[in-house]
Amino acid sequence: MDTSLILQNVLTPPVLFFFLGTISVFLKSDLEIPAPLPKLFSLYLLLAIGFKGGLELQKSGMGGPVLPTVCASILMSLLIPLICFVVLRLKLNVFNSAAIAAAYGSISAVTFITAESFLESQSIPFDGFMVAALAIMESPAIIVGLLLVKLGAPKERPIERKMRWKEILHESMLNGSVYLLLGSLLIGLLTGAFNPSGVAKMQPFTGKIFYGVECFFLLDMGIVAAQRLPSLKKAGSFLIGFAVLMPIFNALIGVFVARALGLQPGNALLFTVLCASASYLAVPTAMRMTVPEAKSSYYISTTLGVTFPFNVVVGIPVYMGLVNNLIPTPG
Amino acid sequence: MDTSLILQNVLTPPVLFFFLGTISVFLKSDLEIPAPLPKLFSLYLLLAIGFKGGLELQKSGMGGPVLPTVCASILMSLLIPLICFVVLRLKLNVFNSAAIAAAYGSISAVTFITAESFLESQSIPFDGFMVAALAIMESPAIIVGLLLVKLGAPKERPIERKMRWKEILHESMLNGSVYLLLGSLLIGLLTGAFNPSGVAKMQPFTGKIFYGVECFFLLDMGIVAAQRLPSLKKAGSFLIGFAVLMPIFNALIGVFVARALGLQPGNALLFTVLCASASYLAVPTAMRMTVPEAKSSYYISTTLGVTFPFNVVVGIPVYMGLVNNLIPTPG
Amino acid sequence: MDTSLILQNVLTPPVLFFFLGTISVFLKSDLEIPAPLPKLFSLYLLLAIGFKGGLELQKSGMGGPVLPTVCASILMSLLIPLICFVVLRLKLNVFNSAAIAAAYGSISAVTFITAESFLESQSIPFDGFMVAALAIMESPAIIVGLLLVKLGAPKERPIERKMRWKEILHESMLNGSVYLLLGSLLIGLLTGAFNPSGVAKMQPFTGKIFYGVECFFLLDMGIVAAQRLPSLKKAGSFLIGFAVLMPIFNALIGVFVARALGLQPGNALLFTVLCASASYLAVPTAMRMTVPEAKSSYYISTTLGVTFPFNVVVGIPVYMGLVNNLIPTPG
Amino acid sequence: MKRLDLIFSERELDQMLKSLEKAKVPGYTVTKHVTGRGPERVVSEDMEFTGLGANAHVIVFCDQALLEQIKIYIQPLLNYYGGVAYVSDAEQL
Amino acid sequence: MKRLDLIFSERELDQMLKSLEKAKVPGYTVTKHVTGRGPERVVSEDMEFTGLGANAHVIVFCDQALLEQIKIYIQPLLNYYGGVAYVSDAEQL
Amino acid sequence: MKRLDLIFSERELDQMLKSLEKAKVPGYTVTKHVTGRGPERVVSEDMEFTGLGANAHVIVFCDQALLEQIKIYIQPLLNYYGGVAYVSDAEQL
Ligand SMILES: Nc1ncnc2c1ncn2[C@@H]1O[C@H](COP(=O)(O)O)[C@@H](O)[C@H]1O
Ligand SMILES: Nc1ncnc2c1ncn2[C@@H]1O[C@H](COP(=O)(O)O)[C@@H](O)[C@H]1O
Ligand SMILES: Nc1ncnc2c1ncn2[C@@H]1O[C@H](COP(=O)(O)O)[C@@H](O)[C@H]1O
Ligand code: NA
Ligand code: NA
Ligand code: NA
């Protein structure tokens, strides 16, 4: 493991602000970013990465590695929850297992952004089309999760709780954050194609101040993540272990798939991070609606309280090390 | 009608984000921009257009077309509510007619901004002093509306509801959004005159990120406008028709006045848009205080649910077509 | 007194927006910046000045005037509350006197920022390390204030209200705004040292849009300050006089200390402003927790309702005049 | 003792509080940004957007005797602008 | 008259209001962003962050007779998703 | 059953909730950002600005028997920092 990479990652403003947030909770400072300010930041970040991704996608087109990568992304977001489910069933009931599995099959946009910032600070190039993979990986895992409930616990549910497919598709595809990301992607695409002057005028907002807002948001993420720790203790050591080891395992699969796809190192890292990250925005809302039997504290504490901090601080540089070691650099 | 202009308008980021918001409501996505974030955007936009308008006004001075345009603006904001009132009285009582008439006599700052963005994307020049017309057209219609109530329904009101003139002037001139716009205009003027270094330092905030915030706000406007539709159905087809045809009629008057004033095409469009747009910020608050008999769902649904979307999507390019056809280009 | 300096100060955007806010209250406009938007601005400003200060500190190092200035700052924040306490005891009880004294010993970050903007508009250079003095002066006065209560009213407090030192240190050092400022300072230092590319990427957020956000925030400060006036009347003329004269007196001490330290005019002004300003963010929260006997309306109305406006509008240019007259310019 | 619950548009909050002060209430508690539906009006969150404001919910704990007094002061406001007022029993803990 | 206090997750607010409308309540008042703890769940402010939303507190003033009707419509929702419902006496001012 | 309404400064919310937990309440509901006036203090929205925070309104539905217990735990807090506590009747729907 490349400890110098970890150190370099830790010394970037986003990660430092994340620590600042975490430490404030441990020291019982009353630093607080009151609602709905975190929502402002997360809406902004989704809008901005979507828009920028759309622009890049418009530039790059759908040729080259784009289509294979997107297909592989979908496959991964179907496969990972199945693996997670099998592991989780060792200790948890069907409902909790399915909900957590869905969260790990889906992705975390903020982890993705932090990985992009890491790549930039390392001057490693990456492609904008990876945002399409990000957008496309949000939903499928939700459907897998619900299928798992349907198949795994057919008798335990009273009749009125029968799945309504329309509702499920709705929750998975039209969740606010999925919708905003996809919509902004599309707008970016259209603007790039038809309104170049609009692109330049958006740039100060979606481009220039992005990094600062990211830092501000990570400050809040640090606070929120640290606040989840008490309910983690209740969840027990099995889940804590799961929340650290599963991302590493998923990342490993991710690296090999990235290698098979022939992705450049930067894109390979982003793909790996998508596999390793877990959703705490889109999935919890979908699960609350469709699997209310699952304990929300389980899937929120693992994803937000353990996996997110782990990925942002240690995971990203470690995965970079994996990419560097396992993928032969071209030329 | 120039459909290519409409298409070009539709493919700009502000209008695309507006659609994104509207569609989210139709698809029942749970995308939401929670209060008070929309307030943040609207305060920002008012502050920024005021400040920039003040700077421009300071540069241009009060000579040339400035004074005649401002005078014509005041006249229009007195005339339009009278015409609207006559039309509305065909179906509605005095209170509702007066309140809606006041809204259509006043203006919508966001429609104005979108028109400016449209002009910029078409590379058509326009002058900053039009912001003065914007600011000055907010209030007079409110007073006309209240006069109409006073004259039209003298006996229907119990004694304690008698108009207090002080209150009315207060509501019309010191409404938060009117006040902020006028105040920022004045600050822009003073800064431009006495503190040039302050101008440069404000520019990244009031200038650079403006377009992005506008898009963000239009996303919310799309949501809010679409949410008004159910209460529109209750309002009935007369009001829906009014909310589409009246702006066109007002725009027509506006174009001819602009022609008489000898305005350049860009300024002519902005003037026309001011005539065609209707207020959903300043006027509703004033009407709620002074004409509580009027149904707020009427004047909010028509202005916000129909006229605003119509103007932003179809109206602006159509009015541009009118300007191009009806005003002979100089030279 | 240099009235032209006062005029130049008054005609900068931050001060003009402050006036706009104040006047809106007097005219009873319903302009409102709803919670938690002011919190957003204040968090942003603290984060940004901390980060920028850290960068500058990293560049300048701890040599030259840095260490003496920091030491003098600590001394001033211990000395000033003692003087204030003696004056306040003439009319007020121990609890109120101690709480107000603590507020005047501590500092106001927004006053500091406004002074920086004033210096920039006058093209007078100043050093980033002064932010370290700002950060370091927030807390000591809180401890002095609590000591004064402990010593001054040992018998008036029931046993259960005995001071818990841990709690006091906690309140003084880990107050949200103190923590954010210090933390951002540290992050700025680390980023400057280890991640130069991060510095450039933060710049649009922490640097470029700063001035505009400052103006927006001062608009709100104007509203809040003016709203405090009614409760000021209850506080009486002694406190109003104190809130104007004490800052001037503290500024005078400050100028002489700055002269003794051999500070350049810009830094001298900032040091003086730190001495003259009073805290309305960190201190009130600490006092509410530890001296609930003190009337919060006293220490909020004086600092926010009188001293802050006085410093921002009149104080800063007057102190600049003092600096110019009392400190011999080098060379 | 009694508990009085008042719900009405935020835009009249200042006037209502002034009336309560005139009636010499011992105290009150205000929750803003409250939405709802009455017999005539729907107050939704986008009202805040247009500046109309949502509803305010005011609670007053006071003696039975004061209720009559309060009623005199606030009834005209409720009649003119709309809003509801309900009373329940309460006692200090 | 009666006062009904309903507290449940914001995510079910729309469904709950629809049920109340079906029961023909004369009106209701909604406070959002409310947090709390029940026998099983803690609803904290960071729930809003994840999009789950906090709790909503709905108050309905209505006649005793309507309560049975309301109960029929909302009990399934409370059972499925959780939440509490309490009734007290109230009278119009 | 009983309904307990507690209103006090947000800054003591954590302490208050801990005390309620010690008294083993079955649940509670919290509304923050509430303003008001008591016999001594006015709590306005600009309090939030200075970081003091506004008031919190805590509702507890519980059995009569628990009230004595709750009182023991929270009375010292109310005495030291201020705040009010009122009890009314309530029954489950
Ligand atoms: N029966 C009711 N129960 C609860 N809240 C009500 C009721 N009727 C009216 N309200 C509230 O009072 C506000 C104003 O009522 P109104 O002026 O009658 O529309 C409504 O927006 C509701 O928030
Ligand atoms: N005994 C109680 N007193 C006050 N509020 C309660 C009580 N029990 C539950 N609640 C509220 O109802 C919400 C949902 O309850 P539950 O579904 O049982 O977790 C909780 O988050 C609390 O806000
Ligand atoms: N009589 C009352 N009715 C309603 N709320 C009250 C009453 N008295 C006090 N309060 C609330 O309790 C808070 C704290 O009260 P106090 O500590 O007495 O100032 C006040 O800010 C009000 O929100
Ligand atoms: Na994943
Ligand atoms: Na108009
Ligand atoms: Na000071």
Side-chain angles (χ1 to χ4, degrees):
Chain A
M1 245 183 254
D2 198 337
T3 48
S4 96
L5 270 183
I6 297 182
L7 201 70
Q8 283 169 39
N9 182 47
V10 163
L11 287 171
T12 56
V15 180
L16 289 170
F17 276 106
F18 179 80
F19 277 125
L20 192 63
T22 316
I23 295 168
S24 84
V25 176
F26 295 142
L27 293 182
K28 297 207 166 70
S29 162
D30 64 351
L31 178 63
E32 192 198 10
I33 301 183
L37 301 182
K39 189 86 184 179
L40 171 66
F41 300 140
S42 68
L43 289 172
Y44 165 81
L45 292 176
L46 290 171
L47 189 155
I49 49 174
F51 187 81
K52 289 188 291 181
L55 288 181
E56 303 270 352
L57 207 59
Q58 194 271 329
K59 263 191 251 158
S60 70
M62 294 302 281
V66 179
L67 223 62
T69 307
V70 166
C71 293
S73 304
I74 298 178
L75 282 177
M76 290 303 286
S77 71
L78 296 171
L79 176 68
I80 289 173
L82 293 177
I83 305 174
C84 293
F85 185 74
V86 172
V87 176
L88 289 160
R89 282 294 279 137
L90 294 175
K91 289 270 183 183
L92 301 175
N93 69 21
V94 171
F95 301 116
N96 285 319
S97 301
I100 302 175
Y104 280 82
S106 182
I107 51 80
S108 149
V110 184
T111 313
F112 182 84
I113 294 169
T114 318
E116 286 191 337
S117 295
F118 172 77
L119 289 173
E120 281 168 9
S121 78
Q122 298 282 320
S123 310
I124 300 171
F126 58 91
D127 287 309
F129 71 76
M130 289 305 296
V131 173
L134 166 79
I136 237 125
M137 279 180 85
E138 285 212 86
S139 307
I142 296 175
I143 298 170
V144 175
L146 296 172
L147 273 177
L148 287 170
V149 170
K150 202 184 168 77
L151 301 173
K155 288 165 213 150
E156 289 169 42
R157 301 197 121 194
I159 298 155
E160 79 256 52
R161 294 205 184 187
K162 279 237 180 93
M163 294 286 159
R164 279 146 292 177
W165 272 103
K166 221 185 108 197
E167 206 174 80
I168 290 169
L169 277 172
H170 187 269
E171 274 303 312
S172 62
M173 304 298 294
L174 291 172
N175 178 285
S177 50
V178 177
Y179 178 84
L180 180 57
L181 184 63
L182 281 173
S184 305
L185 191 89
L186 201 68
I187 293 178
L189 250 166
L190 291 170
T191 308
F194 299 109
N195 190 352
S197 81
V199 175
K201 281 166 72 188
M202 285 297 274
Q203 160 64 2
F205 185 71
T206 52
K208 293 262 167 99
I209 63 172
F210 187 86
Y211 195 67
V213 180
E214 180 191 340
C215 290
F216 212 148
F217 189 56
L218 277 165
L219 175 66
D220 186 58
M221 294 289 300
I223 297 173
V224 175
Q227 282 170 342
R228 300 305 309 175
L229 291 188
S231 59
L232 250 187
K233 283 186 206 141
K234 284 190 208 148
S237 56
F238 173 73
L239 272 183
I240 301 178
F242 175 89
V244 170
L245 298 177
M246 202 71 224
I248 299 179
F249 181 79
N250 292 340
L252 264 174
I253 315 183
V255 174
F256 283 108
V257 174
R259 181 192 168 131
L261 289 166
L263 293 179
Q264 301 290 315
N267 295 342
L269 177 74
L270 293 179
F271 185 80
T272 306
V273 163
L274 288 176
C275 295
S277 72
S279 165
Y280 43 81
L281 287 179
V283 175
T285 52
M287 292 299 135
R288 164 81 187 153
M289 287 301 278
T290 48
V291 196
E293 297 93 340
K295 281 206 175 184
S296 60
S297 70
Y298 281 5
Y299 48 79
I300 297 184
S301 299
T302 46
T303 55
L304 197 54
V306 181
T307 301
F308 176 76
F310 173 77
N311 276 335
V312 160
V313 177
V314 181
I316 292 173
V318 166
Y319 308 151
M320 193 72 239
L322 289 180
V323 166
N324 288 339
N325 288 318
L326 297 179
I327 302 189
T329 26
Chain B
M1 247 182 253
D2 199 336
T3 47
S4 96
L5 268 184
I6 296 182
L7 201 71
Q8 283 170 39
N9 182 47
V10 164
L11 287 171
T12 56
V15 180
L16 288 170
F17 276 105
F18 180 79
F19 277 125
L20 192 64
T22 315
I23 295 168
S24 84
V25 176
F26 295 142
L27 294 181
K28 297 206 167 71
S29 163
D30 63 351
L31 178 63
E32 191 199 11
I33 301 183
L37 301 182
K39 190 84 186 182
L40 171 66
F41 300 141
S42 68
L43 289 172
Y44 165 81
L45 292 176
L46 291 170
L47 188 155
I49 50 175
F51 187 81
K52 289 189 291 182
L55 288 182
E56 304 270 351
L57 208 59
Q58 194 269 330
K59 264 191 250 160
S60 70
M62 294 301 282
V66 180
L67 222 62
T69 308
V70 166
C71 293
S73 305
I74 297 176
L75 282 177
M76 290 303 285
S77 71
L78 296 171
L79 176 69
I80 289 174
L82 293 176
I83 305 175
C84 294
F85 185 74
V86 172
V87 176
L88 288 160
R89 281 296 278 137
L90 295 175
K91 290 269 182 181
L92 301 175
N93 70 20
V94 171
F95 301 116
N96 286 319
S97 301
I100 302 176
Y104 280 82
S106 184
I107 51 80
S108 149
V110 184
T111 313
F112 182 84
I113 294 170
T114 317
E116 286 191 337
S117 296
F118 173 78
L119 289 173
E120 281 168 10
S121 79
Q122 298 282 318
S123 310
I124 301 171
F126 57 91
D127 287 308
F129 71 76
M130 288 305 295
V131 173
L134 167 79
I136 237 127
M137 279 180 85
E138 285 213 84
S139 307
I142 296 175
I143 298 170
V144 174
L146 295 171
L147 272 176
L148 287 169
V149 171
K150 202 184 168 79
L151 300 174
K155 287 165 215 150
E156 290 169 42
R157 300 199 123 194
I159 298 156
E160 77 257 54
R161 297 208 184 184
K162 281 237 180 93
M163 294 286 157
R164 280 145 291 178
W165 271 104
K166 221 185 108 198
E167 205 173 82
I168 290 169
L169 277 172
H170 187 269
E171 273 304 310
S172 62
M173 305 299 293
L174 291 173
N175 179 286
S177 50
V178 177
Y179 178 83
L180 180 57
L181 185 64
L182 281 172
S184 305
L185 192 90
L186 201 68
I187 292 179
L189 251 165
L190 290 172
T191 308
F194 299 109
N195 189 353
S197 81
V199 175
K201 283 166 71 186
M202 284 298 273
Q203 160 65 0
F205 185 71
T206 52
K208 294 260 166 103
I209 63 172
F210 186 86
Y211 196 67
V213 180
E214 180 189 341
C215 289
F216 212 148
F217 189 56
L218 276 165
L219 175 66
D220 186 59
M221 294 289 300
I223 297 174
V224 176
Q227 282 170 343
R228 298 307 308 175
L229 291 188
S231 60
L232 249 185
K233 282 185 205 139
K234 283 191 208 146
S237 55
F238 173 74
L239 272 184
I240 301 179
F242 175 87
V244 170
L245 298 176
M246 202 70 225
I248 299 179
F249 181 79
N250 292 339
L252 264 173
I253 315 182
V255 174
F256 283 108
V257 175
R259 182 191 168 130
L261 288 166
L263 293 181
Q264 302 290 314
N267 295 342
L269 177 74
L270 292 179
F271 185 81
T272 306
V273 163
L274 287 177
C275 295
S277 72
S279 165
Y280 42 82
L281 286 179
V283 174
T285 53
M287 290 300 136
R288 163 80 186 155
M289 286 302 279
T290 47
V291 195
E293 296 93 339
K295 282 207 175 184
S296 60
S297 70
Y298 281 5
Y299 47 79
I300 297 183
S301 299
T302 46
T303 55
L304 198 53
V306 181
T307 302
F308 176 77
F310 173 77
N311 276 335
V312 160
V313 178
V314 181
I316 292 173
V318 166
Y319 308 151
M320 192 74 239
L322 289 179
V323 166
N324 288 338
N325 288 318
L326 297 178
I327 301 188
T329 26
Chain C
M1 248 181 251
D2 198 336
T3 48
S4 97
L5 269 183
I6 296 182
L7 201 70
Q8 283 169 39
N9 182 47
V10 163
L11 287 171
T12 57
V15 180
L16 288 170
F17 276 104
F18 179 81
F19 277 126
L20 192 63
T22 315
I23 295 167
S24 84
V25 176
F26 295 143
L27 293 181
K28 296 207 168 72
S29 163
D30 63 353
L31 178 63
E32 189 198 12
I33 301 184
L37 302 181
K39 189 85 185 181
L40 171 66
F41 301 140
S42 68
L43 289 172
Y44 165 82
L45 292 176
L46 290 171
L47 189 155
I49 48 174
F51 187 81
K52 289 188 291 184
L55 289 181
E56 303 270 352
L57 207 58
Q58 194 271 327
K59 263 192 248 158
S60 70
M62 294 301 282
V66 180
L67 222 63
T69 307
V70 167
C71 293
S73 304
I74 298 177
L75 282 177
M76 290 304 285
S77 71
L78 296 172
L79 176 69
I80 289 174
L82 293 177
I83 305 174
C84 293
F85 184 75
V86 171
V87 176
L88 288 159
R89 282 294 278 137
L90 295 175
K91 287 269 183 182
L92 301 175
N93 69 20
V94 172
F95 301 117
N96 286 320
S97 301
I100 303 175
Y104 280 81
S106 183
I107 51 79
S108 149
V110 183
T111 313
F112 182 84
I113 295 169
T114 318
E116 285 191 337
S117 296
F118 172 77
L119 288 173
E120 281 168 9
S121 78
Q122 298 282 320
S123 310
I124 301 171
F126 57 91
D127 288 308
F129 71 76
M130 288 306 295
V131 173
L134 166 79
I136 237 125
M137 279 181 85
E138 285 212 85
S139 307
I142 297 175
I143 298 171
V144 174
L146 295 171
L147 273 177
L148 287 170
V149 171
K150 202 183 167 78
L151 301 174
K155 286 165 215 152
E156 290 172 41
R157 299 199 122 195
I159 297 155
E160 77 257 55
R161 294 207 185 185
K162 280 238 180 89
M163 294 288 158
R164 279 146 292 179
W165 272 103
K166 223 185 107 196
E167 207 173 79
I168 290 168
L169 277 172
H170 187 270
E171 273 304 310
S172 62
M173 304 298 293
L174 291 173
N175 180 285
S177 51
V178 177
Y179 178 83
L180 181 57
L181 184 64
L182 281 172
S184 304
L185 191 90
L186 201 67
I187 292 179
L189 249 166
L190 291 171
T191 308
F194 299 109
N195 190 352
S197 82
V199 174
K201 282 167 71 187
M202 285 297 274
Q203 161 64 2
F205 185 71
T206 51
K208 294 259 166 103
I209 63 173
F210 187 86
Y211 195 67
V213 180
E214 179 190 341
C215 289
F216 212 147
F217 188 57
L218 277 165
L219 175 65
D220 185 59
M221 295 288 301
I223 298 173
V224 176
Q227 282 170 343
R228 301 304 311 175
L229 291 188
S231 59
L232 249 186
K233 282 186 206 138
K234 283 189 207 149
S237 55
F238 172 73
L239 273 183
I240 300 178
F242 175 88
V244 169
L245 298 177
M246 201 71 224
I248 300 180
F249 181 78
N250 293 338
L252 264 173
I253 314 183
V255 174
F256 283 109
V257 174
R259 180 190 169 132
L261 289 167
L263 293 179
Q264 303 289 313
N267 295 342
L269 177 75
L270 293 179
F271 185 82
T272 307
V273 163
L274 287 177
C275 296
S277 72
S279 165
Y280 44 81
L281 286 179
V283 174
T285 54
M287 291 299 134
R288 164 79 186 153
M289 287 301 280
T290 47
V291 195
E293 296 93 340
K295 282 207 174 185
S296 59
S297 69
Y298 280 4
Y299 48 78
I300 297 183
S301 299
T302 45
T303 55
L304 197 54
V306 182
T307 302
F308 176 77
F310 173 77
N311 276 335
V312 160
V313 177
V314 181
I316 291 172
V318 166
Y319 308 151
M320 192 73 239
L322 288 181
V323 166
N324 289 338
N325 289 318
L326 297 179
I327 301 189
T329 26
Chain D
M1 287 201 83
K2 292 287 176 183
R3 169 203 174 107
L4 172 65
D5 282 281
L6 297 167
I7 303 160
F8 53 87
S9 168
E10 272 181 32
R11 288 204 64 87
E12 290 94 45
L13 183 56
D14 283 349
Q15 280 175 270
M16 194 65 91
L17 293 183
K18 262 188 209 146
S19 301
L20 289 175
E21 294 293 9
K22 277 192 205 144
K24 302 227 185 327
V25 295
Y28 54 79
T29 294
V30 182
T31 311
K32 287 172 79 176
H33 312 298
V34 157
T35 56
R37 184 178 72 68
E40 287 191 31
R41 255 175 299 250
V42 177
V43 174
S44 56
E45 268 173 278
D46 49 357
M47 298 279 160
E48 304 220 33
F49 171 83
T50 59
L52 275 184
N55 285 334
H57 179 179
V58 173
I59 303 173
V60 178
F61 293 103
C62 66
D63 291 326
Q64 163 83 50
L66 207 65
L67 284 181
E68 253 340 282
Q69 192 65 13
I70 294 178
K71 190 170 177 177
I72 293 169
Y73 280 105
I74 67 172
Q75 199 68 61
L77 283 174
L78 292 177
N79 289 348
Y80 187 59
Y81 293 112
V84 297
Y86 287 91
V87 179
S88 358
D89 288 316
E91 43 174 329
Q92 227 162 339
L93 177 71
Chain E
M1 288 203 83
K2 292 287 176 182
R3 169 205 174 106
L4 173 65
D5 282 281
L6 296 166
I7 303 160
F8 52 87
S9 167
E10 270 181 32
R11 287 206 64 88
E12 290 94 45
L13 182 57
D14 284 349
Q15 282 176 267
M16 194 66 91
L17 293 183
K18 264 187 209 147
S19 302
L20 289 175
E21 294 293 9
K22 278 193 204 143
K24 302 227 184 332
V25 296
Y28 54 79
T29 294
V30 182
T31 312
K32 286 173 78 177
H33 311 298
V34 157
T35 56
R37 184 177 72 67
E40 287 190 32
R41 258 175 297 252
V42 177
V43 175
S44 57
E45 267 173 280
D46 48 359
M47 297 280 160
E48 305 222 32
F49 171 83
T50 61
L52 275 183
N55 286 332
H57 180 179
V58 173
I59 303 172
V60 179
F61 293 103
C62 66
D63 289 327
Q64 163 85 50
L66 207 63
L67 283 181
E68 253 341 282
Q69 192 64 14
I70 294 178
K71 191 170 177 177
I72 292 169
Y73 280 105
I74 68 171
Q75 199 69 58
L77 282 172
L78 293 177
N79 289 347
Y80 187 60
Y81 293 112
V84 297
Y86 287 91
V87 179
S88 359
D89 287 317
E91 44 174 327
Q92 227 162 340
L93 178 73
Chain F
M1 288 202 81
K2 292 287 176 181
R3 169 205 174 105
L4 173 64
D5 282 281
L6 296 167
I7 303 160
F8 52 88
S9 168
E10 271 181 32
R11 288 205 63 88
E12 288 95 45
L13 182 55
D14 283 349
Q15 282 175 268
M16 195 64 92
L17 293 183
K18 263 186 210 149
S19 302
L20 289 175
E21 293 293 8
K22 278 192 205 146
K24 302 227 185 330
V25 295
Y28 54 79
T29 295
V30 182
T31 311
K32 287 172 79 176
H33 311 298
V34 157
T35 55
R37 183 177 72 66
E40 287 190 32
R41 258 175 296 252
V42 177
V43 174
S44 56
E45 269 172 280
D46 49 357
M47 297 279 160
E48 305 220 32
F49 171 84
T50 59
L52 274 185
N55 285 334
H57 180 180
V58 173
I59 303 173
V60 180
F61 293 103
C62 66
D63 290 325
Q64 163 84 50
L66 207 64
L67 282 181
E68 253 340 283
Q69 192 64 13
I70 294 177
K71 191 170 176 177
I72 293 169
Y73 281 104
I74 67 172
Q75 199 68 61
L77 283 172
L78 293 177
N79 289 348
Y80 187 59
Y81 293 112
V84 298
Y86 286 91
V87 180
S88 355
D89 288 317
E91 43 174 329
Q92 227 161 343
L93 177 72

